[in-house]
Structures are given as structure tokens and as C-alpha cells.
Amino acid sequence: MSSFSPFIVKLYWGGQVSFVNGVIICDESTLTSSFFVRYDSMSYVELVDTIYNHVQLDRNSYSLKLVLYYTFQGVHASSYLSDEEGVSMLYFLAANEVNYFGQIFVSQVPKVTIQHESFMELMRGFCAPQSNDYEVGASTYTNLENPTLDQHIDDEEDLNSLNSESENGDTEDSEVPPSDDDSGDEVILPQSSEEYNSGIYQGFPTGPVEAYDEVAELRTAELPYFDNEDQMDIWNPESNQIRVGMFFHSKKEVVNAVLSWNVACNREVIVTETRKTCWRAKCYTKAPKYNEPLPNTPPCRWAASACLKKNQHMWQLTKWVAAHNCYGTVQRNNNRCLRSKDVAFHISSAVQADISFPVKQVKVLIKDLLHVDITYSKAWLGRRIAIENIFGSWDSNFNELPMYIKALKASNRGTVVEWLHHPHGSSKCATFKYVFWAFKPSIDAFHLCQPFISVDGTHLKGPYRSKLLIAVSKNANNYILPVAYAIVDEETNESWAWFFMMFREHVVNETMGPLCVISDRHAGIVNAMTSLEGWMEPNAYHRFCLRHVRSNLMKRFKSASLKKLCWAIGSTTQARKYMAAVAQMKIINEDAWLYLNNIPKTHWTLRYDRGHRRWGNLTTNISESLNNALRDARLLPIKACIDYTFQKDVSQYVKHTEIAINCQTALPPRMWSVFNNRDRRAQDHRVFKYDHVEETYRVTSRMETNDYGGNDYTVEFKRKKCTCRKWQMERFPCSHAIAVCRHRNGLPNEIVDSRYYTSTYRQQYSGHYHPLPHKDLWRGAGWCIQGDPSKVTTLRGRRRARRMHNEMDVHYPDEPRHYKCGLCKETGHNRKSCPYRNQ
């Protein structure tokens, strides 16, 4: 060590501070002061006196807690200054760091006079020589109060994940565990006032403990029984206090309190013993695998022990050292003491408010609360544990599922729930395979909708491998209407066939006419639509999602031009535009057109949609949108998932009911807005009458300045047809039909399909949902169900990405790229050449 040089010590008090990357960050209420340490013989008492003078506090009214923040060999850490060893560490840092200055955070604690009204209070008031540690039985006692974090944890993990050196034995139960090897001299507190006055227990170490027969006898003595818990020193998570002799309701609380205290101190521990009746921990610097960076530093004396007191049925902290005297072992600010279950406790309120609380936000929240940087894996697992703590596990959900379904059907009459169980299930307990459900108000609303559905499937996240199938339609206001749901093991021919059979049996009304199904080209859906009775033409019609057709094309032919032309071919309703797009695609890549031409045109183009079965719907966007709205439900177990869909449908149903009741126009608000937009364009059209009997008109659109427009369209008003084909396709008038209607002085309801009327909208939402009773009032269903063990996945391997990439994430060679600056977000330059870089 080099010769001593004076250094500066800066004090912080009165506010909140945090130590981030070697820099102290404080709020506006924090006060600061500095002073020189001009000689290397300043004692701990002199240092405390100097700090009292700077912070201007009365020594008789307040005690001080000092925390030293420092950086040593690139590692940022903190340590309590509570004795001469702390001052020695301060001098050591000053001698080994260049341009060193000390940073100490000072917190004040009011001194409180405690009245000794009970035996526990008498133990707290026991006086001993000037030492930090006293012992109860074979345990160390410290009267220095230390903070602990407010949290509850699940037990029986016993910190095996913190170290591989933890011992898990079924040894004989012992009420007070033997003392640690490094406990040093011991002072045994008396068990009665007679022993206290006998002179044996005067608080001074007079030799090995084994020299006293009375002490050996008192090791097995029990503490007195407390009739009133108010007289016991019981741990309170809100008080952030840990003391020797403190009682805990369970082993969970002991582990939680000790680990939380160490997290707050930025220290790590190792469990040296864990049994049914005792628990011990030491500083991680005593772990066999730990390599001390400073070989000449003294060993850390921090330790904690607790044992089960059978007469109180509680755990008592029998040894507690107030502070660590090491430099710390935390690397990259990721503390081993903070487990995933502890993360789950701290984020439980956030997860309950938002089930899909992002993992990145979990890391940010833990950083703000505990000043600890956790890994992505720990944050991800903590979120999963939090979800299970709030909504239950898959096993518990299966146990409650029959009672929940019975209560749901009893409260909401007409709700459909159908099951399909595995054949290898027993007569006492069925094994889950499929479940289908649909709510009565949604079924009734669907009977007044456009006769089409969009179906899709998405995987559920969690330890049980399953898929969620949905069927969606549109209401009179052109908004999404969820119709039916199902949970199956996989998207197979069998599962989709079962879903369509249940839908046909319990949901479809024959008065709706033939039903159109829009989906992707999944083999299970195609097989069901071509083989199931009731789903083949002319009873039902299958159409493909245009976006999925384009996606399949892009997997084979990667070109941005082909991507645009594919959409133009499938979405146009006019023959001239269709032929122009086809001709252009043949010029670019004829193989691409041959691939598309092999797909039946009636299935993916509006131009050849016979009977206009699509009602103008090109894609499965409504089902994809519902999947996105249900992204939270995908994280939930089965009963919670069904209940989530119920609550989601109720909220949407109430919302649309209010809109329908307050609507004062002939059409619902959204369709009325579409009608008015087309009406404004219709005012620029010119109308010429050609046939009075057949009510045939020629409509010429307005000529635009860019040579577009000026096109002629033929409108057959009596037949509700227009050569643009939008009127007959959507059953909603195009601007050309509205121009003719205006020319005839007609009303909008003359040319709009009744499924778009406000009266239809109100009728769709005239049903009622009813809440379920409290779960304690649910009655037994008379049967039980369990999950399929073969569908339970393990946590091994890398977790799957939240969003799977498709052709929209691919850059094609003929597609121009538009880079944005990372600083100003403008195009034309990058971060290095940004004009705002130096501002």
C-alpha cells in the first residue's frame, strides 16, 4: 500500500439516492456536504462525530446509518460503515484507487425508548460489552436494525438454485441448531431472572462455552410460551426490520426476510444448512467455489441462523450479524438472492392489471424497485410464476373447470359448452382433449349478421401444449363479433372437423342461408370444407384469405412487384383492371402467374367470386384482430382463458349496446360515415337515364387533373347492380348507386341491405349477460377432468419468439429501402451524418 494522501468524503442525506454504473443519482431533496480526511488515523467514532456536525443532527435524538458506495476493480458495490473495519476499508480504497473520493449516504433513525414489559423486551434490553454481536443460545444477537424488503415467497426451494453446496439432509430434528464454526466467542442469554442474577451471564466471554455445564443444559431449554403475540417480537414485512430473536410465522418468511435484506445491501449469500427445523446462511464469499480477488482481506463474518420453536409453532432468528464486512460478490448487478419467485411477487400487481406485461418492462420495474439488473430468463420465468399465482396453474384450472362451466351455463342460459374427451380416460376422471363454447347473446347476434365467418387458430402459451380456435363475423356496424371458441391440442383434420360440426349443430341458423367461410389454406380447414356434410357447396362456400395466398406466393417468388400485382389481381372487381394486372405479372414472371392460376379463382379473387359470397371481405383480418385482442388470454390456463373470453365478450357487448341505443341515424355510426363519404363523391358524378322501365342509368365519374376518372358505369337500380360490382358484392351502395338514388330523390334505406340498418343493430344487442356467483357458491358438477400428460411441455431449450416472422418481414431486392436516422428519425442520412448529432 502506498503512502497516505488526503482525500475528500462527500455526504448525501435527506433524500433518495441510487448508485448506477459507479455514479450516484439523487433527487432534488437530497442535501450534500464534503470534508477532507487529512490523516490516516481517524477512528470510526471521530468519523461519526464529523458526520453529525455536517448533517446537524442531535446525537441524543438520532442514530446514523452510513452506507459507503464505491467502485473497486471495475465492480460497483456498497457497504455499511458500522465499525473500525469499515473505516479501514475506506482507507484501503483511498490508497489503491487513483483520485479517490469517498461517497457516503447518511440515513437518520430516531432513537426510541423501549419499555421492558415482557421477557422478549428484557432480552432486547440486555447489555453487553462494545461489540456488534451477542448470542441467543448458540446464536449471534445484534441490536442494529436493518431494512428488509416487503415481499412473500413460496417455500421449499430453499435456495438450492443459489449454490450447489447447500445441504439437504433428513437429520434428526433439533429445536436449536448447533453453533457455526466461525461464531467466535459466545454470550448466552439467560432463560430466567434467577439465572441472570446468578452472575454467570454477565455478557463477557470467559472462555469456551463448553466450560459451563449450565450453558450446555440451557442449549436444549425452550423459550417461555407466549399467550399474547403482542409481547413477541414478530417480523413485520412493512417495518423492514430484522433482529435476533425475532419470530417468523414460517420458514418462507425467514428465507424471504434474509434474502431481501441482502438484496437491499447488494450482497449475496450461500445456504449452508436447510432442514425441517433449522436454516443457516453465510456470506457468499465463504462458498468453496468463490475466488477472492483480494487474497489478504479478512473473511466476511455475516451469518444468519433460524430454527423452529415447537412450543410457539413459529420460527425464531437465533443468529444475526448486522452487516457484511466484505467488498461484495455481485457481478454486473445481478444478485443471486433475487429469485424468479421474488420477481413474481414484485410484479404481481402489474401482471394483474396487464396479463401480457412485457418481459422488458419486468426488467425495468425490478431495476426501479430493487436496483438490480435481472436476466431475461429470470424476468420471463418470474412473469409466468406471477400468472400462476394470480390465475392458478393448469392443474388447478382443470380441477375447477367443471364447476365453473356449470356456474356459467346456469347464470347465462343458452350458453353452449361441448366436450370431447380422450378415450383412455377413466370413468371417475375424464382426460381433456377438446372443448367448444359459444355464448347465447353472441349466437343470437350472429343470426342477424352477414352470412360469413372468418376462422383462425393460434397457439396458447404455457406448459400445456394447446391451440385456440375462433370463429368471427361482423355486426351491423361492421365491427368484429366473436361467435365461437374452442381449445384443442393441435390444428389437425380431426380438430377442425370437430369444431365445424359443433358450429353447425349449435350456432348456425338455417334462415341465414348458405354460409361463407374465409380462412387460410390450412389442410385441416380445407379437408373439413370438402368432406363434412353441411359444409360442402351449396350448403356452404369456402374462400381463401388473399393475404395468405400472397404470402404463399412470396415464399416461392421473392419480388415486391409480384407482391403488389398479386393483391391487385385478387382485390379488383373490374375486368379491365384484372386483365391489366395479369398481363403485367406474366411479363415480370410467368411462373408466378402459373402458380396463382392453379388455385381456383373463385377461392381468392373478387372478380370471380360467384354469388358474391365474400360480402366484400378479402382477408381473415377480423379473426387475426380478435387473436391480437385475446393475446392476454393465450398466457392463461384453460379455465382462466374461458373466463377471459367471457369477460371480453361482455365488455364489447355492453359497449355496442350503448352505441345502438344512442344511435339516431338510419344506419349505425360507422356505416353512416361510409355512406356519407360515398355520397360526397356521388355529388360530383353525372347521371344519365337510359331506361325508365328497367331503371337503367349511366353514371360518369368526375375527371381528375391527372387524367384519371371520367369513367362510365352502368347502374341497374331495380336489380341493385353496378358495373363496378361493389353494390352487389357488399350489399351496400357504391357512389354510383348513391348518385342515382340522389337523382331519383330516394332514401338511403331503399338501396342498403337490411343487415346494415340501425334497427338490426339494436336487435343484435338486445340480449343479456349475467355475472357468475362467487366461486365459493359454485356447486359440484359430479365429474372431474384432468389434462393430458403427453401435452405437458418442459421448460428446456430456448423460448419461442413472441411473433413469428413472415413475408412482411423480408426485404426484396427490387424494393427500395428507406433508412431512418437513429437520432432524429428522419430519412436521407444516418446517425453518423445527422445534423443534430452535436446539439
Side-chain angles (χ1 to χ4, degrees), residues 232-378:
M232 301 175 65
D233 189 10
I234 299 178
W235 178 69
N236 182 6
E238 298 181 358
S239 64
N240 296 331
Q241 302 291 331
I242 299 181
R243 293 177 291 272
V244 71
M246 182 173 283
F247 283 88
F248 299 81
H249 290 93
S250 64
K251 186 178 180 181
K252 300 177 186 178
E253 288 192 350
V254 177
V255 178
N256 176 61
V258 173
L259 296 185
S260 301
W261 182 88
N262 279 277
V263 170
C265 297
N266 202 25
R267 292 296 188 273
E268 297 174 321
V269 302
I270 177 176
V271 177
T272 58
E273 183 178 2
T274 173
R275 291 185 292 169
K276 294 182 179 179
T277 56
C278 71
W279 183 83
R280 296 173 182 269
K282 293 182 180 180
C283 179
Y284 190 75
T285 56
K286 293 188 176 181
K289 296 182 179 180
Y290 177 70
N291 295 323
E292 177 62 54
L294 302 175
N296 297 325
T297 56
C300 184
R301 59 185 178 82
W302 182 90
S305 300
C307 66
L308 175 64
K309 294 298 179 180
K310 295 181 179 179
N311 52 347
Q312 280 89 27
H313 303 287
M314 300 181 71
W315 284 70
Q316 186 181 28
L317 195 65
T318 56
K319 182 174 183 178
W320 178 254
V321 178
H324 289 259
N325 62 313
C326 60
Y327 291 109
T329 61
V330 177
Q331 300 290 336
R332 297 181 298 275
N333 202 33
N334 184 13
N335 200 309
R336 306 166 194 260
C337 293
L338 187 64
R339 303 163 297 174
S340 55
K341 61 172 63 178
D342 304 325
V343 173
F345 170 77
H346 286 287
I347 67 173
S348 59
S349 57
V351 171
Q352 193 161 14
D354 181 10
I355 304 171
S356 60
F357 193 63
V359 178
K360 291 183 179 180
Q361 293 300 320
V362 172
K363 298 177 65 177
V364 172
L365 181 61
I366 295 300
K367 178 68 173 180
D368 293 340
L369 292 177
L370 306 179
H371 309 293
V372 177
D373 296 314
I374 61 176
T375 62
Y376 186 93
S377 299
K378 186 178 291 186

Side-chain angles (χ1 to χ4, degrees), residues 439 442 482 485 644-653 769:
F439 306 113
S442 296
Y485 307 88
Y644 186 90
T645 60
F646 175 71
Q647 303 299 337
K648 196 75 173 179
D649 281 16
V650 169
S651 63
Q652 291 298 312
Y653 200 87
Y769 277 99

Side-chain angles (χ1 to χ4, degrees), residues 660-673:
I661 293 176
N662 297 326
C663 182
Q664 303 296 327
T665 55
L667 304 178
R670 195 174 193 182
M671 301 312 299
W672 186 248
S673 176

